Amino acid sequence: MPEAEISEHVMTIPGIDGQKMSKSLNNYIDIFSDEKDLLKQIKKIVTDATPLEDPKNPDEDITFKLYQLIASPEEVAQMRANYLQGGYGYGHAKQALYEAMLAYFKDAREKFDYYMANPKEIEAKLEEGEARVKPIAEATIQRVREIFQF
């Protein structure tokens, strides 16, 4: 029986409920939503009932796992230390994740907002792309027709 071979570089990104992040499970964070909605989504991340003053295990926390994906190594080390020392709540971690997401996706969010506000720009980009690939596609179709003689 074949064994699964999963590269160490492949990861599963946790959703806000701890399962694999998936749009069909509605447990994803829409990085392009407005800031208020983005914060609401982040605040819905499932956590345990560990009191604020108690140390927490960052390796078992969804917020920390997501934070690791976008924060600098120094920021991740600081958050890990905060978790382990206690006095750092999940609300603090979620706020840090929110701020890190805004910073990390700043350029993409700005570009998204620009194109959503300027749909004619989207159409122009699509037409530009079509003009670039049309000759390539036509040449490919011509070769296929010659090969299959139709």
Side-chain angles (χ1 to χ4, degrees):
M1 195 64 142
E3 293 291 321
E5 189 173 311
I6 301 173
S7 169
E8 290 181 29
H9 302 297
V10 175
M11 70 173 74
T12 299
I13 298 174
I16 62 173
D17 60 359
Q19 296 182 58
K20 176 183 171 187
M21 188 177 282
S22 169
K23 196 167 183 179
S24 63
L25 294 175
N26 198 30
N27 68 353
Y28 66 99
I29 298 172
D30 181 0
I31 62 168
F32 296 113
S33 59
D34 66 53
E35 291 183 20
K36 183 179 175 184
D37 288 339
L38 179 63
L39 183 57
K40 280 183 185 177
Q41 291 171 38
I42 291 171
K43 286 185 176 186
K44 289 181 182 177
I45 295 173
V46 174
T47 57
D48 62 30
T50 305
L52 172 73
E53 59 277 354
D54 289 356
K56 293 159 190 63
N57 184 347
D59 298 321
E60 293 180 3
D61 181 57
I62 301 165
T63 305
F64 184 79
K65 288 176 182 179
L66 292 171
Y67 188 75
Q68 288 182 92
L69 298 173
I70 59 173
S72 71
E74 297 80 18
E75 292 168 325
V76 171
Q78 181 59 56
M79 184 180 277
R80 176 178 290 280
N82 290 342
Y83 269 66
L84 296 174
Q85 75 185 6
Y88 188 77
Y90 293 119
H92 297 111
K94 290 176 182 182
Q95 183 65 35
L97 174 61
Y98 168 71
E99 291 169 8
M101 282 192 150
L102 288 179
Y104 187 83
F105 294 109
K106 181 179 187 283
D107 292 342
R109 288 172 55 87
E110 286 174 356
K111 194 176 280 189
F112 177 84
D113 290 343
Y114 172 79
Y115 283 114
M116 290 299 101
N118 297 285
K120 289 182 181 177
E121 290 284 330
I122 296 172
E123 192 60 40
K125 290 283 185 187
L126 290 171
E127 288 171 4
E128 180 183 312
E130 178 186 13
R132 251 192 347 255
V133 300
K134 191 172 184 176
I136 298 167
E138 287 173 348
T140 302
I141 293 294
Q142 184 59 39
R143 280 198 333 262
V144 169
R145 286 185 175 144
E146 289 170 4
I147 291 169
F148 289 104
Q149 299 175 352
F150 69 90

